[in-house]
Amino acid sequence: MTTLTSAGRVPGRRRTGFVWGLVAWAAGILFALPIGWMLLTSLHGEEDAATNPPSLAAPLTLDGYREFFGASTGTSPWPALVNSLTASVASTLLVLVLAIPAAYALSVRPVRKWSDVLFFFLSTKMMPAVAGLLPIYLVAQNLGLLDNIWLLVVLYTSMNLPIAVWMMRSFLAEIPVAILEAAAIDGAPLPTVFRRIIIPIASPGIAATSLICFIFSWNEMLFARVLTGVRSTTAPVFLTSFVTSQGLFLAKVCAAALAVSLPVLIAGFAAQDRLVQGMSLGAVK
């Protein structure tokens, strides 16, 4: 009887897994459909791109990408891309340097009322970003920091730090305390514990946190639009230059949007294994 019951459960589990597999594929196709639409539009001429939906039989061309790289205007996107990369990478590194020790203090060696500290970090994200735009602009103007990429680095660091502390706190809480106690008994100083124990064990969580902070910094446009001008223009701000008084050129805009999104897509694919491990590490007790 037990054998029949177990045998009956296996096909049921397989059917359930098959159904959830179909649901996952459907969700993936649904999320990928806009990207495919944008890719197809970017490979069409402007007349063919204006059709809705884009025609599959229309001739393909790379004119949109040539225009993005300044084939007719001579305006290169590379300074904006380099500025975005500098601001995103530098702010992400600063966030990790500050968030990991803070998360350690809130998880492995918890301070008093640590939950209140976490709520305070989260409360800093409750104010709309536009509400702090004018004070930040005036301070930057008085300090001579307008159109300075390092001002964006500081702002992106402060914007992403609360989220990073929350994420890293859940990841570091999964580290067995016995390992840290054994290292302390052996006389390992705290920097050694961080370098040889905490960071290797929490590397999936660090990768997930880094990717989230990088994406948020790369996609930010409000502060970059207001606080930069010529030298420190970022990629999202550069994208807005394709919307002119002459009209909206869909093929060129789609090509520019895909080119700007490419670094984020590459980072996501490169870190997808670590990202899944990190999310699982923070979610499973």
Side-chain angles (χ1 to χ4, degrees), residues 57-74:
L60 303 182
T61 177
L62 295 176
D63 289 344
Y65 294 93
R66 295 191 186 98
E67 290 296 323
F68 172 71
F69 287 101
S72 61
T73 62

Side-chain angles (χ1 to χ4, degrees), residues 132-152 155 222-233:
L133 186 58
L134 180 59
I136 292 175
Y137 178 86
L138 295 176
V139 171
Q141 185 181 42
N142 292 330
L143 295 178
L145 293 177
L146 292 178
D147 201 14
N148 190 320
I149 194 63
W150 297 109
L151 174 62
L152 294 183
L155 288 177
L222 177 63
F223 287 99
R225 178 71 175 177
V226 175
L227 301 177
T228 63
V230 178
R231 295 174 301 171
S232 303
T233 299

Side-chain angles (χ1 to χ4, degrees), residues 4-19:
L4 292 176
T5 303
S6 301
R9 289 176 179 175
V10 173
R13 292 177 180 177
R14 289 179 178 176
R15 284 194 297 269
T16 302
F18 178 76
V19 171

Side-chain angles (χ1 to χ4, degrees), residues 18-32:
F18 178 76
V19 171
W20 281 113
L22 290 179
V23 172
W25 273 102
I29 293 174
L30 183 63
F31 280 104

Side-chain angles (χ1 to χ4, degrees), residues 163-202:
I163 298 176
V165 171
W166 266 80
M167 292 182 65
M168 289 306 307
R169 192 263 166 190
S170 63
F171 297 143
L172 295 186
E174 299 297 326
I175 298 178
V177 180
I179 299 178
L180 303 178
E181 293 176 347
I185 293 175
D186 292 339
L190 187 58
T192 302
V193 173
F194 267 96
R195 187 175 65 254
R196 296 188 176 182
I197 299 177
I198 295 178
I199 292 180
I201 294 178

